[in-house]
Structures are given as C-alpha cells and as structure tokens.
Amino acid sequence: MKIVALLLSLTLLVITHELGHLGFAKLFHTRVRRFYLFFNWGFSIMKAKKFDNQWHFLFFNSETPDDWYIQDPDKPKEQWELKEPDNTLWGIGWLPLGGYCDIAGMIDETKGADQLESEPQPWEYRSKKAWQRLCIISGGVLVNFISALLIYTCIFAHWGKDELPLRNAELGYDYHQILLDEGIQNGDIIWSIDGEEQNDLTKAQQKIILDKPKTLVVKRHQWVAPVADSSVMAEVQLQPQLVELFDTIHLSSDLSGRIVAENPKQLMSLRMPFVVKEFIAGSAAKTAGMKEGDRVVSINGEECQTYADISATLMENKGKEVLVGYIRDGQYSQSSIKLPGDGKIGVMLKTPIEVFNVEHTEYNFFQAVPAGIKYGCEQMASYVSSLKLVFTKEGAKSLGGFGTLGSLFPQTWDWLSFWTITAFLAIILAFMNVIPIPGLDGGHILFTLWEIVTRRKPSDKFLEVAQTIGMFLLFALLILANGNDLMRWLRGMFFK
C-alpha cells in the first residue's frame, strides 16, 4: 500500500508541476511539443495526439509511426515535425522519476542547442520576452506551492484540525535511545526547552534538532518513598506515593549531529493507554466479562499502563491464564483471561482522539483558506530551516530517496494521511526545484534573472553545457540518496 500511495502522490505532483509550465506556455502562445507523465526513455506506455480532426492513440510503443509526422525528405526523421505542431502530444512513460514538458525552443533535458532551429521562431520559448520566459519556467514551482496550500485548505475544510497539546499526553512519551542517553526517561513530558515553554510536539522536536538547545525541563511522574518520622510506630508501613517532579536535563553539544547521523523515524512517540473500544468475534476478554470502555492497568498484579507494555506482557504469557486488572467507571476490577496462542485478548482499542483531551477546530471553507495558507507557509519555513543539516557530514548520510519517501505513508490506506503527506511533498518539490542548479527550474530562473538584470542573454551553447553539468549533479544526488536508502535497508536486514 505504501508503494501505491507513493506512486499516486508522485503522479499528482508531476502532473500539477508540468501543467504549471504548460499553462504559462500556452498563455504566451509557446508551443509545447510533448507533455509526459514519467520518463519514456526508449518506450512509452501511452501516446495521444490530436491531428486530422481526430485523436490518435498508441499503447506500449517505442517509435512514433511516420504518418504522425509532416514528412520532409530533405531532413532526417529526427528533425521531422509532428503534424499540427500547435497540438501537444500527451504521453505516459515507464520510469516514475518525474516527467517533462517539451517546450519548443528551450534547452532542457529533452534537447540541446544543436536540435534548435537556426533562427528563433515566434512560437519558441527563446523568442519570448524575458519576463514571459520567467513566468513559464516558474510555473511548475508556483503551481506546486499553490497545490499544497489548496490541499491544506481542503483538509481543514473537510476534516478540521486535531491537535494534541504536548502536555495533554497523560502517560507522557516514549523516547528514542538518543534522548534516553541524554537523561530523558520514558513517560516524561517535555515542559520547556532553553526556558521556552513547549506545548506542540512537532515544534518541540524541530527545536531539539535544529536549534541545538542546551537544556530542557521535563515533567516526570515518579514513585517516592516518604521519609519515616520517629513518632511513627515501627509496625506502620509507609506506602510510596506517586508525585510529579520537574527535572532539568543538560543536553550534549553533539545531540543534533547524532540525531541527523542516526536519522531515527521518530524521536518521541505517544504512550497510549489500553482502552477497549469494541470486541472482535470470539474475544477472550468479552468472554471473561470485560466491557467497552474498560482501561487495562495491570497484568497478574503488576502495573502496566501503556499499550506497548501490556501487549508485550500478554505476548510473553500467550497460551496461559492471566489476571487482567482494569478500571471501569472509576473502580478497579480484575478478570481471569485464558490467552490464545497469539497472546491477544480480542479487542479493538480507542484512538488518541478518543482517549486524550485533543483540541479539535472546525473550519468552514472561508475559514479554512487563511488557515491552510498559514499552515502551508509554516511547513515551508520549517522545511527550509531543516536543510541546514543537509550540509554536514551526518546530513549527507541522512539523505533519502524513494524508499524514504515511501516510508512516510502508513501501511494501511488513509485519505487524511495521504493528502497531508502529498501536500508536504508538494512543498518539498516546489522548494527543491527553485534551487539554482542547472537542470532544475531554479537554474533557468537564475539565468533569466541574470538576463533581466544585465540585459545580456546567455548563449545557447552556454545553456547546453550548464544543463549537462546540472543533470550530472542531479543524477549524482539521486544515486547518493537512493544509495543511502539501500544501505539503511541492508543494515536493517543483516545487522539488526
């Protein structure tokens, strides 16, 4: 399901990006010869073009037939023009690494300077005014960013916004070993970082990674034994008490570097209680007398508060009879349950939204628009600020390719997750494409801005060389990112 979600998301992102280029090209009467979803090196899954007053289609095709061209015996076939050149050829390639919009008169990954006509033609990209070319080449980035804002707007309008304040996590959080090594304990709640109070999980994690904080304060529940008074009779046993403590933790200076180097999927995760929502057929818990809403707090008399601890303890006792303690309507009860071979008691659990004090905000469409724009801009700012970590030795090792992108999606299909991740990927695509590297839109934008400022247009030969160098750099980066994914997978398989 992760692969399906990733391919669908990439399809939407590529189509919207290339449509941005195509839209501005058509606006300024520039021919777009081909529009492709995915690359078609040597082979196309589908081609479609309108000429002779009807649509023509080709499927699983490697070479366009001669009757699609305006045949010129004085030129090689590679230089023949497709019939009705003002109509775009639409296609689907086989390699899902992107797509392209073949704009006439533009030096890009589809053609070099030697493939252009000797004289610029009025329908060509290179014949347009600099500001028009700037609009055409910026169209993809612009549409990607607008798409992200639109998706966030629709998410808020349809689902609203659910936020669990950091301090509303009753059982605290489980932490990655990196933070445990710093002195944080599972169950702690981060209260402040460098004196700044925290109540947003995402922002707290970003601050730990990006701002290189020196101290953080955690709220901790801890059993404390009372000090015996001399007047207390020796035979009276004083019971430990659960109290709330605040502990200041001094963080090591290399914490951010370690996080980037190890690249954990999660620095901290919510500790979930084991609260019964409903029973499945043949449930051992239902047979033993448990009811919906019961909250498991102990197994065989030993305190177990979190889903992770309870499920692990049940698995250790699979096939055995255990005494399960739970809270019902504020009262503690116990039931003896005979566990099946899989160690499960046959229940579905309540979600965080159903258990914790989650803040839900409803939006109508007109309220969702500014909320979506604000959230999208915050996501862009957060992503840009995180890029400074890439330009370190640890950051280069943490780069990821398609495997990393696929891991963002959940195992089971969820529309909210799909659209949220797709919107974030649209923001990434928009920013990455504006980086001034030849081969990316940002390279073309840079050269066009240079022309506007200096009134000197770079030569076609210069643009071709720059394009070649840029494509080499991009392929090297692609190999590095996906190579990192491969190495992480191999380490996970053979060096657990």
Side-chain angles (χ1 to χ4, degrees), residues 73-300:
D74 296 328
K75 293 181 179 180
K77 183 177 179 181
E78 291 76 17
Q79 297 181 12
W80 289 359
E81 189 76 70
L82 287 165
K83 290 182 178 180
E84 300 187 21
D86 285 335
N87 291 338
T88 301
L89 183 150
W90 304 83
I92 300 176
W94 60 271
L95 187 61
L97 297 181
Y100 64 90
C101 189
D102 180 7
I103 300 174
M106 179 179 178
I107 296 173
D108 57 13
E109 68 273 14
T110 66
K111 55 187 173 297
D114 58 338
Q115 295 174 278
L116 301 179
E117 297 284 348
S118 57
E119 293 296 328
Q121 301 299 315
W123 60 80
E124 289 187 323
Y125 171 84
R126 56 180 173 163
S127 298
K128 303 303 175 181
K129 295 178 181 179
W131 70 269
Q132 293 175 325
R133 284 183 274 121
L134 185 63
C135 290
I136 293 172
I137 200 60
S138 303
V141 170
L142 181 63
V143 170
N144 276 139
F145 186 60
I146 292 175
S147 297
L149 301 184
L150 180 61
I151 292 173
Y152 285 132
T153 295
C154 293
I155 287 174
F156 291 157
H158 183 74
W159 284 285
K161 187 178 181 182
D162 290 309
E163 290 183 298
L164 174 63
L166 192 64
R167 300 177 182 182
N168 287 10
E170 177 186 333
L171 300 178
Y173 296 83
D174 285 323
Y175 296 89
H176 189 274
Q177 188 60 48
I178 296 173
L179 294 181
L180 295 177
D181 292 341
E182 296 292 319
I184 300 177
Q185 297 180 13
N186 287 330
D188 286 353
I189 298 175
I190 295 176
W191 205 256
S192 66
I193 300 177
D194 280 344
E196 181 181 333
E197 292 194 358
Q198 303 294 316
N199 207 24
D200 185 288
L201 174 61
T202 301
K203 291 180 179 179
Q205 293 184 93
Q206 290 173 348
K207 193 170 183 66
I208 291 172
I209 298 171
L210 301 177
D211 294 354
K212 296 184 178 180
K214 296 180 180 179
T215 62
L216 58 82
V217 174
V218 298
K219 177 183 175 182
R220 178 177 298 159
H221 290 89
Q222 186 168 311
W223 290 99
V224 176
V227 178
D229 191 284
S230 58
S231 63
V232 179
M233 296 176 58
E235 62 269 17
V236 176
Q237 292 185 345
L238 299 177
Q239 298 297 321
Q241 297 177 338
L242 185 64
V243 299
E244 290 182 353
L245 303 174
F246 287 90
D247 189 16
T248 300
I249 297 173
H250 297 275
L251 303 173
S252 57
S253 59
D254 65 341
L255 175 59
S256 294
R258 290 171 56 210
I259 293 172
V260 174
E262 294 194 31
N263 193 28
K265 289 185 177 181
Q266 283 185 309
L267 271 181
M268 48 196 291
S269 58
L270 184 66
R271 289 164 67 93
M272 280 293 298
F274 197 105
V275 183
V276 178
K277 180 178 182 179
E278 57 187 57
F279 299 97
I280 64 174
S283 168
K286 186 175 183 180
T287 302
M290 291 186 66
K291 295 182 178 181
E292 295 174 357
D294 288 351
R295 174 175 174 173
V296 177
V297 293
S298 69
I299 305 291
N300 289 334

Side-chain angles (χ1 to χ4, degrees), residues 3 55 64 79 178 227 245 269 286 298 390 431-432 434 478 485:
I3 296 175
W55 281 96
T64 305
Q79 297 181 12
I178 296 173
V227 178
L245 303 174
S269 58
K286 186 175 183 180
S298 69
V390 174
F431 181 80
M432 294 302 290
V434 87
L478 188 67
D485 280 346

Side-chain angles (χ1 to χ4, degrees), residues 17-18 21 34 39 41 98-102 106-112 115 137 438-441 444 467-468 471 474-475:
H17 181 89
E18 300 302 337
H21 294 308
R34 293 177 294 172
F39 293 121
W41 288 327
Y100 64 90
C101 189
D102 180 7
M106 179 179 178
I107 296 173
D108 57 13
E109 68 273 14
T110 66
K111 55 187 173 297
Q115 295 174 278
I137 200 60
L440 293 175
D441 294 344
H444 293 284
Q467 178 76 21
T468 301
M471 291 303 295
L474 290 176
F475 275 115

